[in-house]
Amino acid sequence: MYLETSATKRIRALTKRLRCVQGGTCFTADTIVSLVGGLYKPIQEITRSDSVLSLSSNLDIIKSEVYDYWENAPVKPIISFYINGETIRATYDHKFYTPQGYKELYKIIWGKLEASQRVQLELLCEQHGQTINIDAL
């Protein structure tokens, strides 16, 4: 599921000066989202009336109003990983911010995967018509 918020709408308006990192890559429906006011909801329960916390292009946490959302067909492999005691599930190419800038998830975890896991991920991507740019790792 992908949320279109007032923040992402403003970011899209700046596309000549800023690259938007979203675009067909998503979290799973059970991903927990932080709401303004300290509450949390699974992304599948977010509605147009909700205000969520987002990350600005300056990496500041900001309030964003949800004005649209949609579901993508499950056509990309999902990777589950653990960080700070939490499980995060996202498409293999979802971009996350790292100290080196935004990187696709598979590029972040590739070195931690066993050889068999790498082969499995490559095969899953191929099966779903997706590719992994191994040369860029």
Side-chain angles (χ1 to χ4, degrees), residues 1-3 26-29 43-46 69-72:
M1 179 169 258
Y2 175 80
L3 293 180
C26 296
F27 293 106
T28 59
I43 201 168
Q44 65 191 0
E45 295 177 15
I46 298 292
Y69 60 92
W70 59 88
E71 292 185 35
N72 290 335

Side-chain angles (χ1 to χ4, degrees), residues 15-114:
T15 54
K16 291 183 180 171
R17 293 184 281 157
L18 177 70
R19 258 192 194 162
C20 192
V21 296
Q22 276 291 10
T25 59
C26 296
F27 293 106
T28 59
D30 59 346
T31 300
I32 301 300
V33 175
S34 299
L35 301 174
V36 172
L39 299 176
Y40 301 90
K41 270 189 187 181
I43 201 168
Q44 65 191 0
E45 295 177 15
I46 298 292
T47 64
R48 286 182 180 91
S49 61
D50 288 324
S51 290
V52 298
L53 297 177
S54 298
L55 196 60
S56 76
S57 59
N58 295 327
L59 305 180
D60 296 320
I61 296 175
I62 58 172
K63 298 176 186 178
S64 297
E65 178 185 339
V66 175
Y67 76 89
D68 202 1
Y69 60 92
W70 59 88
E71 292 185 35
N72 290 335
V75 295
K76 291 184 178 182
I78 300 291
I79 294 176
S80 293
F81 66 101
Y82 305 95
I83 187 167
N84 299 330
E86 294 185 50
T87 301
I88 297 178
R89 294 169 25 111
T91 55
Y92 80 102
D93 59 347
H94 186 87
K95 292 186 179 181
F96 286 85
Y97 188 77
T98 72
Q100 294 78 37
Y102 285 100
K103 286 188 174 183
E104 291 92 345
L105 177 55
Y106 77 91
K107 291 180 181 177
I108 297 169
I109 66 163
W110 191 261
K112 295 176 178 71
L113 296 175
E114 295 177 13

